[in-house]
Amino acid sequence: MAGRIGDYLKLRRGFAELTAVYDSALEHCSGSTPATFRAVFLDARACAPRGLTRFPEAVAAHEEALRMLRADGNLLGEAEAMTNLGHTLHEMRDIERAVLVLRQAVVLQGKAGNLHGEGAALTNLGRSLDESRRYEEAVGVYQRDLKICRLVGDWHGEAVTQNNLGLAQGIGAGR
């Protein structure tokens, strides 16, 4: 339930309310609650401080979730948390670290067999490469992302990636 409410609040940018929803969900997790469950909520909760530009808090939450997911051997959860951490690092303008984390996220998403997640990690990686003026690398990443979007039938993702690809090609050619 908290996940669905969280998605709604993220869409309307209700980050203060989002924090309260996830804090409540985390409070209701008892000692018998699986670590993976808590870690997923913790990682999702990190979107709230990111939206409020409280980046150190968001990074700390993503990193704690990553530790928990790794300890539990949850490859898919780890891949998702890495993708979210990379997105947060990009938003806080730590672009080089974002690139490193997102490269790892792409690999983990692939190992987990999560094509949607791999596409999301590639989109974020392309944005970070663009930001660091590594346009040729960004073009390659976006082309790979396009293939995944088409494979999974993600029309919205394909449109976003086509736009990003066109911008990277145009800016890169104008050097």
Side-chain angles (χ1 to χ4, degrees), residues 36 45 57 61 79 110 173:
T36 295
R45 186 206 179 277
E57 182 183 341

Side-chain angles (χ1 to χ4, degrees), residues 2 5-7 9-10 12-27 41-42 44-54 57-58 61:
I5 294 169
D7 289 342
L9 291 171
K10 278 188 271 184
R12 56 177 279 266
R13 306 195 58 78
F15 299 113
E17 297 97 337
L18 181 63
T19 302
V21 166
Y22 282 117
D23 283 347
S24 175
L26 286 165
E27 285 174 15
F41 272 128
L42 187 60
R45 186 206 179 277
C47 295
R50 179 180 67 211
L52 296 166
T53 66
R54 296 190 329 238
E57 182 183 341

